[in-house]
């Protein structure tokens, strides 16, 4: 079995397509035969569940307060994706007691199903909760649209990750572009700025084209991958999944689900201690 690969889906500006990409990428990877978990890290929004048309009685806050185990809050989505419903409590992990932290770690290590992918849909921007999640990910994928404010804010989050957090495993997913060529050009423009000012080469993945079917699917509370598998967007998500599968997990970073939560808690502890 391959190692778990942990991907964070981020953006500078809100509303650019993080949840659309997280959910559809999760389904695309699952349909390609991978075991996939989707973690809704967008505080209190319950976005990912809505986008997948599933309803959850419990969320991650119940794991933090010890009422439930991770296994008990997980719901299965389309193509068997394991969905961890988000919680507003997660931003305050640094304030948890040692016993609570141990409980969270324990809960993650008890999840004994084999997993190939963990996809984390984080909130927009670069709050401490966002950096905590992203630093625990092997690769962060910044979703960007071809609009000045989206590009500026994407550069902003990349700069903070690279310079303040020394985190450099960053890729781009251009979204809502008219064609692949436009997506590649958008990547080249932003990457040139990152190379020049941050000494950082971004990973190009694949672009998701603008497709009305995505909106239709969203209105039906379905991922476009199941709503319309033959759509242009679904084709892009399948290609994106393939490209991401080619990015190797850094060897020193390998490890299961419990390493994700341990890395997350380590980041929080560092922040707490100055
Ligand atoms: N490729 C696309 N083609 C057409 N519409 C899209 C595409 N990607 C996203 N959308 C639409 O754009 C809107 C915003 O997408 P989404 O909710 O995924 O963004 P987000 O980054 O998760 O937002 P937030 O920051 O609020 O969490 C939704 O209505 C979604 O259906
Ligand atoms: Mg979202």
């Amino acid at each position: 079995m391959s190692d778990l690969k942990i991907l964070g889906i981020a953006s500078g500006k809100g509303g650019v397509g993080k949840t659309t990409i997280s959910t559809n990428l999760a389904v695309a990877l699952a349909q390609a035969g991978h075991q996939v978990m989707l973690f809704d890290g967008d505080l209190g929004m319950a976005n990912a569940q809505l986008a997948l048309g599933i309803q959850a009685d419990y969320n991650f806050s119940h794991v933090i307060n010890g009422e439930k185990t991770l296994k008990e809050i997980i719901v299965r989505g389309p193509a068997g994706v394991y969905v961890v419903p988000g919680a507003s409590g997660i931003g305050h992990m640094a304030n948890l007691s040692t016993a609570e932290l141990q409980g969270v770690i324990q809960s993650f290590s008890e999840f004994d199903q084999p997993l190939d992918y963990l996809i984390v849909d984080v909130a927009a921007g670069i709050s401490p909760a966002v950096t905590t999640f992203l630093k625990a990910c092997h690769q962060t994928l910044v979703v960007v649209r071809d609009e000045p404010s989206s590009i500026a804010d994407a550069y902003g989050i990349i700069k903070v990750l690279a310079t303040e957090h020394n985190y450099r495993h960053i890729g781009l997913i251009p979204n809502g572009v008219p064609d692949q060529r436009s997506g590649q050009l958008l990547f080249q423009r932003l990457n040139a700025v990152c190379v020049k000012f941050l000494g950082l080469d971004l990973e190009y993945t694949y672009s998701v084209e603008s497709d009305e079917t995505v909106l239709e699917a969203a209105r039906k509370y379905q991922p476009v991958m199941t709503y319309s598998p033959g759509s242009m967007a679904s084709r892009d998500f399948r290609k994106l999944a393939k490209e991401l599968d080619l990015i190797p997990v850094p060897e020193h970073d390998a490890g299961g689900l419990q390493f994700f939560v341990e890395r997350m808690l380590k980041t929080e502890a560092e922040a707490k201690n100055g």
Side-chain angles (χ1 to χ4, degrees), residues 11 14-20 22 40 42 45-48 121-124:
S11 75
V16 298
K18 290 178 300 297
T19 301
T20 302
S22 305
D40 190 349
D42 194 348
M45 297 291 284
N47 267 327
D121 178 10
V122 304

Side-chain angles (χ1 to χ4, degrees), residues 85-165:
S88 45
I90 194 128
H92 312 297
M93 280 204 155
N95 301 329
L96 300 185
S97 69
T98 312
E100 284 171 320
L101 292 179
Q102 283 308 323
V104 172
I105 293 176
Q106 181 69 24
S107 197
F108 269 76
S109 52
E110 275 167 12
F111 185 82
D112 50 8
Q113 304 301 310
L115 273 188
D116 302 308
Y117 280 93
L118 172 63
I119 294 172
V120 188
D121 178 10
V122 304
I126 190 82
S127 66
V130 167
T131 48
T132 295
F133 278 132
L134 296 181
K135 285 169 73 182
C137 293
H138 294 129
Q139 184 88 30
T140 286
L141 299 160
V142 177
V143 180
V144 61
R145 283 185 184 260
D146 197 356
E147 296 158 7
S149 61
S150 175
I151 298 169
D153 291 357
Y155 178 71
I157 190 173
I158 293 166
K159 185 179 172 192
V160 169
L161 283 173
T163 59
E164 289 175 27
H165 298 276

Side-chain angles (χ1 to χ4, degrees), residues 155 159 163 168 190-200:
Y155 178 71
K159 185 179 172 192
T163 59
R168 306 177 76 84
L190 189 47
N191 190 49
V193 177
C194 292
V195 168
K196 183 167 178 195
F197 293 106
L198 308 174
L200 173 68

Side-chain angles (χ1 to χ4, degrees), residues 212-234:
E212 279 292 313
T213 325
V214 172
L215 293 166
E216 266 174 48
R219 282 196 285 271
K220 299 257 162 64
Y221 300 105
Q222 275 187 53
V224 74
M225 282 300 295
T226 56
Y227 176 77
S228 179
S231 64
M232 216 167 52
S234 295

Side-chain angles (χ1 to χ4, degrees), residues 93-94 101 132 263-274:
M93 280 204 155
L101 292 179
T132 295
R263 272 199 297 268
M264 211 158 74
L265 298 173
K266 191 169 149 257
T267 306
E268 286 280 308
E270 281 164 7
K272 194 176 173 180
N273 299 330

